[in-house]
């Protein structure tokens, strides 16, 4: 029998992406579904950092990432997986677009968090003072609203150019924390709250630029709600995960 939280999580994530893809058949018309040639681009939230085990590359790709799980569940005609932990928009443009072609029919991507300084912000908030955390979060939010939109626009446009026949699905990032009390060693409620607020800003910016590019935005926040760090059944790793910290676990 499958582990129940894992089964629920996989069902939710597959349903989320399936809803984003949408039905291929026209109601009332019998037709064969077109083959799906799927390419998964992006950063650690697409490569599967936190889920493990990983391939032998430096990208920390896991077969428990949503991308290979969805590809296997939907019997795609082809699947390419260049997503890489630590990637920024420039890395997608320089290193990942070669997986795309005119035959690609579906592309998914998570990107932008590392451009906004995800790792440094989390380090400042976990180990720094309240003021250090606040300053880091405010700087990340300013970057997300001021500089990131143009970078996302360029990235989505380049994907369109390399894969003109593909549906582009942009996945957002979840909120990382629940804000209830969870022990003396946890980040303060205030820090967790402003980090979640920063995640909301990033989601808003990403959704807006995805819409401008004619892409579908898949908001992961509702799926992860209640399962952040400090939740009863967390799906996000805490700081003990070291390089996996604040990434989705296998569940």
């Amino acid at each position: 029998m499958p582990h129940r939280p894992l089964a629920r999580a996989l069902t939710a994530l597959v349903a989320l992406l399936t809803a984003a893809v949408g039905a291929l058949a026209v109601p009332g018309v019998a037709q064969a579904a077109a083959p799906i040639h799927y390419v998964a681009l992006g950063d650690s939230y697409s490569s599967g950092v936190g889920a493990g085990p990983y391939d032998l590359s430096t990208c920390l790709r896991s077969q428990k990432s949503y991308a290979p799980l969805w590809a296997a569940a939907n019997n795609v005609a082809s699947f390419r997986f260049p997503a890489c932990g630590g990637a920024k928009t420039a890395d997608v443009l320089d290193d990942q677009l070669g997986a795309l072609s005119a035959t690609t029919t579906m592309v998914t991507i998570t990107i932008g968090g590392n451009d906004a300084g995800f790792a440094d912000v989390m380090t400042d908030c976990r180990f720094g003072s309240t003021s250090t955390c606040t300053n880091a979060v405010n700087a990340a939010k300013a970057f997300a609203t001021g500089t990131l939109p143009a970078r996302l626009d360029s990235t989505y446009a380049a994907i369109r150019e390399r894969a003109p026949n593909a549906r582009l699905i942009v996945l957002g990032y979840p909120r990382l924390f629940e804000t209830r009390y969870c022990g003396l060693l946890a980040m303060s409620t205030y820090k967790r709250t402003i980090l979640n607020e920063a995640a909301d800003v990033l989601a808003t910016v990403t959704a807006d630029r995805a819409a401008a590019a004619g892409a579908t935005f898949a908001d992961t926040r509702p799926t992860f709600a209640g399962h952040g760090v400090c939740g009863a059944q967390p799906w996000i790793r805490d700081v003990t995960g070291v390089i996996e910290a604040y990434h989705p676990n296998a569940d």
Side-chain angles (χ1 to χ4, degrees):
M1 178 180 294
H3 183 54
R4 288 185 178 180
L6 176 58
R8 288 196 298 269
L10 294 183
T11 299
L13 286 173
V14 169
L16 175 69
L17 192 51
T18 299
V21 174
L24 295 173
V26 177
V29 179
Q31 63 179 29
I36 299 173
H37 296 277
Y38 174 24
V39 179
L41 307 175
D43 55 23
S44 55
Y45 272 72
S46 288
S47 72
V49 172
Y54 306 109
D55 65 10
L56 298 179
S57 75
T58 59
C59 288
L60 299 179
R61 297 187 187 98
S62 170
Q63 291 302 304
K64 294 182 180 179
S65 165
Y66 74 84
L69 289 173
W70 194 91
N74 289 273
N75 193 31
V76 299
S78 67
F79 174 59
R80 301 190 70 180
F81 190 28
C84 189
K88 298 181 179 181
T89 50
D91 298 306
V92 172
L93 294 172
D94 293 341
D95 303 325
Q96 298 185 21
L97 297 187
L100 302 175
S101 72
T103 63
T104 305
T105 61
M106 188 175 95
V107 178
T108 59
I109 187 170
T110 56
I111 201 67
N114 292 319
D115 292 72
F118 171 79
D120 290 339
V121 172
M122 298 309 302
T123 299
D124 286 344
C125 287
R126 184 64 183 87
F127 301 108
S129 65
T130 297
S131 62
T132 298
C133 177
T134 300
N135 291 338
V137 168
N138 287 340
K141 288 164 65 176
F143 182 93
T145 56
T147 303
L148 185 61
R151 294 191 184 186
L152 294 178
D153 289 348
S154 296
T155 303
Y156 302 154
I159 293 170
R160 290 288 193 205
E161 183 177 357
R162 292 295 296 265
N165 300 310
R167 182 163 191 183
L168 174 58
I169 301 171
V170 176
L171 286 89
Y173 302 97
R175 291 176 180 149
L176 298 178
F177 300 97
E178 306 307 316
T179 54
R180 66 181 182 87
Y181 177 78
C182 63
L184 293 175
L185 298 180
M187 265 196 271
S188 69
T189 299
Y190 173 77
K191 287 182 178 179
R192 285 179 276 146
T193 298
I194 63 173
L195 284 165
N196 283 348
E197 290 171 352
D200 290 339
V201 170
L202 185 56
T204 298
V205 169
T206 305
D208 179 69
R209 301 330 302 159
T216 299
F217 179 70
D219 191 349
T220 62
R221 290 173 296 173
T223 301
F224 279 84
H227 295 284
V229 174
C230 290
Q233 291 183 322
W235 292 347
I236 303 291
R237 289 185 178 272
D238 64 16
V239 72
T240 59
V242 191
I243 63 171
E244 298 174 316
Y246 307 117
H247 287 80
N249 61 28
D251 282 355

